[in-house]
Amino acid sequence: MATYLEFIQQNEERDGVRFSWNVWPSSRLEATRMVVPLACLLTPLKERPDLPPVQYEPVLCSRPTCKAVLNPLCQVDYRAKLWACNFCFQRNQFPPAYTGISEVNQPAELMPQFSTIEYMIQRGARSPLIFLYVVDTCLEEDDLQALKESLQMSLSLLPPDALVGLITFGRMVQVHELSCEGISKSYVFRGTKDLTAKQIQDMLGLTKSAMPMQQARPAQPQEQPFVSSRFLQPVHKIDMNLTDLLGELQRDPWPVTQGKRPLRSTGVALSIAVGLLEGTFPNTGARIMLFTGGPPTQGPGMVVGDELKTPIRSWHDIEKDNARFMKKATKHYEMLANRTAANGHCIDIYACALDQTGLLEMKCCPNLTGGHMVMGDSFNTSLFKQTFQRIFSKDFNGDFRMAFGATLEVKTSRELKIAGAIGPCVSLNVKGPCVSENELGVGGTSQWKICGLDPTSTLGIYFEVVNQHNAPIPQGGRGAIQFVTQYQHSSTQKRIRVTTIARNWADAQSQLRHIEAAFDQEAAAVLMARLGVFRAESEEGPDVLRWLDRQLIRLCQKFGQYNKEDPTSFRLSDSFSLYPQFMFHLRRSPFLQVFNNSPDESSYYRHHFARQDLTQSLIMIQPILYSYSFHGPPEPVLLDSSSILADRILLMDTFFQIVIYLGETIAQWRKAGYQDMPEYENFKHLLQAPLDDAQEILQARFPMPRYINTEHGGSQARFLLSKVNPSQTHNNLYAWGQETGAPILTDDVSLQVFMDHLKKLAVSSAS
Amino acid sequence: MSVNQSAPPVPPFGQNQPVYPGYHPASYGGQPGPAVPASPYGAYNGPVPGYQQTPPQGVPRAPPSSGAPPASMQAPCGQTTYGQFGQGDIQNGPSSTAQMQRLQGSQQFGPPLAPVVSQPAVLQPYGPPPTSTQVTAQLAGMQISGAVSHAPPSSVLGYGPPTSLASASGSFPNSGPYGSYPQSQAPPLSQAQGHPGVQPPLRSAPPLASSFTSPASGGPRMPSMTGPLPPGQGFGSLPVSQPNHVSSTPSHALPPGTQMTGPPGTQMTGPPVPPPSMHSPQQAGYQLQQNGSFGPARGPQPNYESPYPGAPTFGSQPGPPQPLPPKRLDPDAIPSPQLNELPPQQRARHRIDPDAIPSPIQVIEDDRNNRGSEPFVTGVRGQVPPLVTTNFLVKDQGNASPRYIRCTSYNIPCTSDMAKQAQVPLAAVIKPLARLPPEEASPYVVDHGEAGPLRCNRCKAYMCPLMTFIEGGRRFQCSFCSCVNDVPPQYFQHLDHTGKRVDAYDRPELSLGSYEFLATVDYCKNNKFPSPPAFIFMIDVSYNAIRTGLVRLLCEELKSLLDYLPREGGAEESAIRVGFVTYNKVLHFYNVKSSLAQPQMMVVSDVADMFVPLLDGFLVNVRESRAVITSLLDKIPEMFADTRETETVFAPVIQAGMEALKAAECAGKLFLFHTSLPIAEAPGKLKNRDDRKLINTDKEKTLFQPQTGTYQTLAKDCVAQGCCVDLFLFPNQYVDVATLSVVPQLTGGSVYKYACFQVENDQERFLSDLRRDVQKVVGFDAVMRVRTSTGIRAVDFFGAFYMSNTTDVELAGLDEDKTVAVEFKHDDRLSEESGALLQCALLYTSCAGQRRLRIHNLALNCCTQLADLYRNCETDTLINYMAKFAYRGVVNSPVKTVRDTLITQCAQILACYRKNCASPSSAGQLILPECMKLLPVYLNCVLKSDVLQPGAEVTTDDRAYVRQLVSSMDVAETNVFFYPRLLPLTKSPIDSTSEPPAVRASEERLSSGDIYLLENGLNLFVWVGASVQQGVVQSLFNVSSFSQITSGLSVLPVLDNPLSRKVRGLIDSLRAQRMRYMKLIVVKQEDKLEMLFKHFLVEDKSLSGGASYVDFLCHMHKEIRQLLS
């Protein structure tokens, strides 16, 4: 544990946790003065190839309000076979199975290296995974064809015993029955009428069988699969049928007159999908996968009318309160999302269209249920195809990288309380002694439900130090937090992953240095960004920016070293040095800036930002820029306009886009065809290098980024130009005419200006 | 009925037998009293035989009647009569005499001759069978009635005395003349004088007639009066049956001589002239007034009461029952104790001879003989066409063929006062798309180009032969509204010297009564030419439907049937698209797009808010999607083979079909195959509200009303979309036809009902109906408008259609079998010169999707004399109209009221005739107009029909079914429906190719040694007498004896012998004539099933209380007398 950096990294690898502060201020007052809240990024299912699950169940603290899991931090009396809960100090008897334990014969959960441990639960019914495809048929012919192929392909990727179902929609919504031979059968619903779950089940003929099922379930869980067998069938059984069915899918046959949008009943289709699963498989892992090629145009959840002359709402409309359908639609989807979350199912949205598709309104569906949101231009693009394929990718064990119906429970030692969480989760509204009254993110609970998650799903969890200043913590005291994640593994097992961490307390007055040094500026930036984005969902953009600025200034005031009123004297320690820059880019990011983004895009970006792990989040905040040249190996360069040089190739990764940009000279060379000449093979290699690197990134990322290969002066170069720090613009004349870099035509402030202002404000005594 | 009601005493029909005794006497008494008892009888007797004979042939009758001396006659008469009847001869003989005697006694009581008739009537009710023989004789006379005129007189006279027998027969002819009661006394005298034979009385009648002359003057009738003079001729000449009568007449004539004198002068003159030309063609056999003058009104009344009492028939029922009877008795004639004492049977014997009252069979037969041979040329205004039962060709020369339009009267009173007085409904029964026999050309299609059909600017009447071109052809005057319109340049044509356009014969619209215009886009919905219509088959696949095998059968049939969708003209394939839906509690639509490898099923469970789940692929061209459709039809029975769903929906199904058509923007027809009461939770859900206890209460009407308003609303939407609904029902129990048929009824659809459907038994019938229904020509999205010339106006419409305003009849679909009855009322005075014109314009979409206008024009005469009206009536049409009127009435009024209204109206019609047109005669005589002499018998059939007087075995559904069925029947159908055809199969030689002559629908006509066939358009029975020869049984049923014949057999074995071939051939040809396939039921004499069969013997008293013909006639007579007095 040489440095905090290593410590942080180690902790992240082992526990999937990154704290903003790794030494905790010991009193509430001090904690609030730290500006950046005590919080962590938790990746509950972080892939741990080295961590085989144990085959037994966790030992719980016997105090009903605690129920913490036995962990390495507990004090154990091996002789008395007792252990003391490190959260509530309850002394507990070991269960009979543990009679053989001793100092040398410890169960795994007591070993320090098992601060994160996974239990496999054997009891309970195991129900197969469920995939319910909800497919828009109002697509262009080739789009539909591509989608059909993707879906057909996906069948081969599903586990053979998984249940699949198909709902298609256009003007009507069809629930396809999959078990019939010789004739394809579907139940059709009007696309304009919202139905209650009860009605849907009645109409699908599920009620009769469902009633006895519910009563009989405890006794005969076996019956379950048969109940809804008509609509959800094991893949291996109806593989062929479904392939044919998908193959015969027609475009929505209802005529669309000129000047109209096709009538698309997305709202009802989703509602029916939710209702179907709700009635048949509550609380088992299920994915509703919505594929849509346009905005919902009728019925509940409609986002825009069918008149093409009325464009779909823009941010401008929303600000002017001019988006007629937005509120109602949002309400509809929120209601659905909450129902889905309550049932433990998740909703994915795959929206491929050139125009907006209503993600803004529908975002809560994936956001609250942990589903995926994918946005593309067409189903006939590799972006969609590969993204979709990647959903079914498998891990080192050959298991799907997805888990369902997870419940995350957080326990804290007494000095801490839980303020909230931000991520793809919903509150389970479990009040408890460790729940804070102040909310940050989704608060007021110690448990959250995450209906769908994968190994990278990451939550920001915010805490509040409640220890009073006058009740000092004994020297060497540690605060502890336990994360208990129960979930359904893709192999359909129930598992529980328990992570218990502890950090030292420190008195902020006497040991500020320690605390400062233990600041994780990356985590802090992401955590603050999440807070900002969370706020941006409900507040006006400028307010959020102002709040962020204020926080940044306060942080600088608190931790900067400076002389009052002397901006030039301002210094930040290493552990803080990058933070302002992150904030600068965050302010410019699409997560907070809606300019140039449609509401759908903003929703899309925010969705991913709220669930990716730290590394990816940082890339989103501050894209990475690599430069390739004949001068040496590829090197990361400043995300700055000055990095845009004529003889360089740039590779920018913004998470959502991979941009390869050929400098002016390079582009000319390529145009001249040098790469094809044997004597310029090195040029060919140079051209190839960023492509290869990009491929590497593309391979690993979910969702597939938009891949842009452009050059100086290319229209697509805007993706690069909009990201780089506009250190040279048409405004700063002194840079005009310089050889290096490319001026950006913008009125945005550059990082330098930003920093100058920041320093000024930080050292100002007025603020 | 109203009359009855009004007169408190009368009502008492309801009473029972006890009354009879009293009545008989009364009636008898009445007769004797007035006239000389003895003589009358003699006379009657005389006539009777004569009549009987006459029936067969005119000539014979006359002689007998004339010849027959009073007393002596009786005996012989009786014998002859019986002989003819071939029935209980012996009994009759004696009985008759006995009766006579009694009569005499009875006569004292009351009215003179009149009583006679009434008596018979009375008697009959009681003991129909016995009397029957006698009656028959009379009936025969009646039928002959044409000849009748002669006979009538005689009969009339006779009636008095002989009572029913003689009177009946004689009365008819005479009746006309006799009309006035007061005179009745005179008749007796005359009779006495004439005496000797029947004739005298007859003549006497005529004299009376003379007195009538004034009334008679009206016209034809006068002739009738005169008729008596030259008996046959007189009558015949008038309107009446010339042929038959003539022969007969002579004989009578002589005797009448004296009588003649009286009336002759005036009458002769008047009548002869007009009648010959006018009537000869039309009313061959009939005299204007056929009279069955029935005896004493009063006498009869009491009787009626008694007899009827039991029978609700007349409407006056139980209420008045017993107490009343006595009262009545008092008024009329005092029942002689003796009579009272007589056992009912004996009384019965005394009744009217059924043969002496007007016989439908005879009338039909006469019309066939007289008018069947020559084509009916429509050029002349106001011609009465041959009866519907006659086969005749039509030559369209400017008026619509009677196949398209039939009127109750072809001569309309000029003023509404006259019309009110006569009470004859002025109505037309229109069958706009009637199928014509192959020999007649279907209407020509006229294309007036882009401007559209030429119409009158003011009243919008279409160009027709009735329009007058003036000013050298530059303008034309509308004959409907008199507006003068310019002739458009492109239509101009010069006129010839007669003022006719030179091109009149080149243009159908100027020379024909019926033709079609091609409609322009202005005549189309939304100003868009329609797309070809669609047929949607909607099949119930609930448990019941599957269990009975219906679904499998249907699917199998559809496979081939789809090749026979209606086509336009010579088109190679039908333009009609088809779609399929199955349903139980939810609906299943099928995508059968040709590009699919297999059909797709789409379930819609949202029945509360029905919609169509697909557009493309639902309605397809049969040829293109053949493979998919076949596969679908194979699959449907399989898919639901294990269904346990018993609940069904109904309204959503129709709505779905309608929405589908709406989505496809076309008109069309839904074929619904439904099995059960729709109790599933959905709009239009019904509950079982069948309650037999409601019958005969004020709430009975609710059984005919729809349970909910849902269906009316739905129907309205359907009509707006041009969505016609044909409903095939396969109920096992109550399905509430009254409610389910609302939509078919309002959309111009048909309802078919197969109770307790079983594939083995009902397959043929169902498939045959289905084939016909699918294949028949049909027009869609139609609007019919009936325009009339100034002075009259169409005020009421009956049939299967919807009306959103008071003039336009909207029909979502209209097929070749559907008729619309239209009633007219006076607006103003009509003139005899211009007559009354009708133009029926039907705008519709043909089965190929072409928008067309079919125009039918008809010109009627107008009259200032009531007699003209009565001479130009058509009873069949009248009955058609009255039945529809009554059937519609049961929804709003108690059935009893409806029946009463009918009876009253009928009585008023006849009374008006009697009062204004018939020659004076004894009040005891029933005098019927020649054209309407069948009105009582037919009306009685209507009154006895299941709707108006249900028997115990008739279900509420049956009644509702029949009710809606009748509403769109044409005249031919109602004719046979109400008065079934009874054909002896074994009487005529086997090798004769023609249809055997029908016999009257009465049990008395059945001989146990024969086999009969009965049909009414819906049912078909073969009745096997118990003593049929074994050989016949063998050759027809392939079993050795009567006892081995399976009762209820529904198919005759196919045997290769002449009899079997002939019978099967006959059955086939009968079936081919009817709209619906008639299921055969073999009934054995004395078998349980015979009850069912007897229900159709409409001249007999029915189990449910319906009066026998004779009873009813008597009752009618009583009513008339009441009106007159």
Side-chain angles (χ1 to χ4, degrees), chain B residues 103-185:
Chain B
L103 295 176
Q104 295 176 353
S106 64
Q107 287 176 352
Q108 298 172 351
F109 300 106
L113 302 178
V116 179
V117 178
S118 65
Q119 292 172 350
V122 178
L123 296 173
Q124 291 178 348
Y126 306 123
T131 54
S132 68
T133 56
Q134 300 174 347
V135 175
T136 51
Q138 294 179 346
L139 293 176
M142 296 302 292
Q143 295 176 346
I144 299 165
S145 64
V148 180
S149 59
H150 317 299
S154 64
S155 67
V156 173
L157 301 176
Y159 291 116
T163 62
S164 63
L165 299 181
S167 66
S169 61
S171 62
F172 302 0
N174 297 333
S175 63
Y178 301 28
S180 65
Y181 292 88
Q183 300 166 355
S184 66
Q185 294 178 348

Side-chain angles (χ1 to χ4, degrees), chain A residues 191-208:
Chain A
T192 50
K193 188 175 166 190
D194 199 11
L195 301 163
T196 65
K198 170 93 173 50
Q199 283 173 312
I200 290 168
Q201 287 154 27
D202 280 350
M203 291 178 183
L204 290 176
L206 300 174
T207 2
K208 267 184 204 158

Side-chain angles (χ1 to χ4, degrees), chain B residues 684-698:
Chain B
K685 171 186 175 179
L686 300 181
K687 52 182 189 289
N688 188 337
R689 48 124 186 212
D690 189 14
D691 186 0
R692 292 197 70 86
K693 279 184 246 138
L694 295 183
I695 292 176
N696 283 327
T697 69
D698 281 353

Side-chain angles (χ1 to χ4, degrees), chain B residues 437-704:
Chain B
E439 307 84 46
E440 295 175 22
S442 50
Y444 291 96
V445 179
V446 181
D447 186 355
H448 275 185
E450 287 187 5
L454 189 52
R455 307 173 69 169
C456 167
N457 289 333
R458 188 198 293 163
C459 70
K460 301 295 176 195
Y462 294 85
M463 178 51 65
C464 65
L466 305 170
M467 302 287 188
T468 326
F469 285 85
I470 53 177
E471 297 181 24
R474 287 196 303 278
R475 314 178 97 184
F476 71 91
Q477 181 166 29
C478 172
S479 44
F480 294 90
C481 69
S482 309
C483 174
V484 174
N485 301 275
D486 290 334
V487 174
Q490 70 274 15
Y491 198 71
F492 175 80
Q493 186 59 266
H494 292 287
L495 306 184
D496 65 12
H497 63 283
T498 61
K500 252 188 162 173
R501 275 172 63 118
V502 175
D503 64 348
Y505 291 100
D506 300 333
R507 290 184 176 271
E509 77 272 23
L510 296 181
S511 56
L512 297 180
S514 303
Y515 45 88
E516 291 196 329
F517 285 117
L518 273 191
T520 60
V521 79
D522 297 337
Y523 292 83
C524 301
K525 207 181 268 176
N526 304 328
N527 277 340
K528 256 169 44 185
F529 279 114
S531 20
F535 281 0
I536 304 179
F537 297 90
M538 316 187 88
I539 307 167
D540 181 350
V541 289
S542 65
Y543 176 74
N544 275 336
I546 297 291
R547 187 183 51 84
T548 55
L550 166 67
V551 174
R552 185 168 294 278
L553 176 70
L554 177 60
C555 290
E556 203 50 46
E557 175 64 21
L558 282 181
K559 280 192 230 166
S560 50
L561 189 55
L562 292 178
D563 288 328
Y564 299 98
L565 299 179
R567 278 176 278 188
E568 182 105 274
E572 260 187 29
E573 71 173 354
S574 173
I576 292 176
R577 290 173 296 163
V578 297
F580 301 88
V581 171
T582 59
Y583 65 95
N584 40 44
K585 217 165 67 176
V586 298
L587 276 79
H588 320 113
F589 294 77
Y590 295 92
N591 184 348
V592 284
K593 201 173 170 179
S594 55
S595 60
L596 293 177
Q598 60 182 30
Q600 289 177 352
M601 172 186 193
M602 306 182 128
V603 184
V604 174
S605 347
D606 189 2
V607 289
D609 190 8
M610 190 40 66
F611 62 98
V612 184
L614 77 171
L615 182 61
D616 191 27
F618 179 62
L619 295 176
V620 296
N621 177 297
V622 175
R623 186 179 49 76
E624 287 170 7
S625 291
R626 159 78 56 196
V628 191
I629 291 176
T630 307
S631 144
L632 171 66
L633 292 173
D634 282 336
K635 294 267 167 47
I636 288 178
E638 284 174 28
M639 275 192 297
F640 299 99
D642 303 324
T643 187
R644 276 177 291 172
E645 185 58 70
T646 53
E647 294 187 359
T648 56
V649 294
F650 188 74
V653 183
I654 295 177
Q655 200 190 350
M658 187 260 293
E659 297 281 352
L661 295 178
K662 192 186 276 179
E665 293 178 326
C666 66
K669 196 160 167 181
L670 312 182
F671 296 83
L672 243 73
F673 305 89
H674 190 79
T675 58
S676 56
L677 193 66
I679 51 171
E681 200 53 58
K685 171 186 175 179
L686 300 181
K687 52 182 189 289
N688 188 337
R689 48 124 186 212
D690 189 14
D691 186 0
R692 292 197 70 86
K693 279 184 246 138
L694 295 183
I695 292 176
N696 283 327
T697 69
D698 281 353
K699 284 189 177 169
E700 182 173 2
K701 61 187 177 189
T702 60
L703 295 177
F704 296 109

Side-chain angles (χ1 to χ4, degrees), chain A residues 275-396:
Chain A
L276 171 62
L277 288 177
E278 190 171 59
T280 50
F281 291 96
N283 296 316
T284 43
R287 279 202 110 82
I288 294 169
M289 310 174 92
L290 170 68
F291 303 87
T292 181
T297 46
Q298 69 166 359
M302 75 184 276
V303 164
V304 65
D306 65 341
E307 289 283 351
L308 267 178
K309 65 183 178 202
T310 23
I312 191 166
R313 79 276 175 284
S314 64
W315 277 118
H316 184 73
D317 293 329
I318 294 171
E319 277 159 25
K320 289 264 159 43
D321 201 16
N322 214 2
R324 285 177 57 206
F325 304 105
M326 189 181 75
K327 285 219 176 79
K328 247 180 107 178
T330 308
K331 206 175 154 199
H332 174 76
Y333 293 110
E334 258 169 9
M335 184 267 295
L336 285 181
N338 284 317
R339 269 171 58 194
T340 314
N343 295 317
H345 306 139
C346 72
I347 301 177
D348 295 347
I349 297 181
Y350 305 86
C352 289
L354 289 170
D355 197 1
Q356 299 187 74
T357 54
L359 287 180
L360 172 69
E361 286 81 359
M362 297 191 281
K363 67 185 173 196
C364 47
C365 290
N367 283 352
L368 299 186
T369 63
H372 299 301
M373 187 191 278
V374 174
M375 193 170 83
D377 290 343
S378 158
F379 288 107
N380 199 12
T381 57
S382 61
L383 185 146
F384 166 74
K385 289 177 183 170
Q386 297 196 21
T387 303
F388 182 55
Q389 206 165 345
R390 209 154 290 163
I391 290 178
F392 302 102
S393 65
K394 295 186 176 172
D395 65 10
F396 53 93

Side-chain angles (χ1 to χ4, degrees), chain B residues 350-435:
Chain B
H350 302 295
R351 297 162 196 170
I352 298 176
D353 175 357
D355 274 346
I357 54 182
S359 157
I361 302 302
Q362 190 61 42
V363 171
I364 291 171
E365 204 56 33
D366 289 345
D367 192 70
R368 271 191 193 148
N369 294 336
N370 295 329
R371 308 199 56 182
S373 50
E374 288 186 8
F376 177 70
V377 180
T378 68
V380 182
R381 188 174 84 182
Q383 280 185 106
V384 181
L387 295 185
V388 285
T389 44
T390 302
N391 282 323
F392 59 99
L393 273 187
V394 180
K395 280 194 181 161
D396 187 345
Q397 292 198 350
N399 281 309
S401 155
R403 302 188 206 287
Y404 294 124
I405 307 183
R406 276 187 176 265
C407 294
T408 51
S409 171
Y410 287 80
N411 207 327
I412 296 181
C414 278
T415 64
S416 60
D417 287 348
M418 275 175 75
K420 270 183 202 143
Q421 201 182 353
Q423 283 288 328
V424 177
L426 303 176
V429 176
I430 307 177
K431 196 175 184 184
L433 296 182
R435 183 202 293 241

Side-chain angles (χ1 to χ4, degrees), chain B residues 1022-1034:
Chain B
V1022 166
W1023 182 89
V1024 187
S1027 50
V1028 174
Q1029 289 177 355
Q1030 283 199 3
V1032 172
V1033 170
Q1034 180 69 44

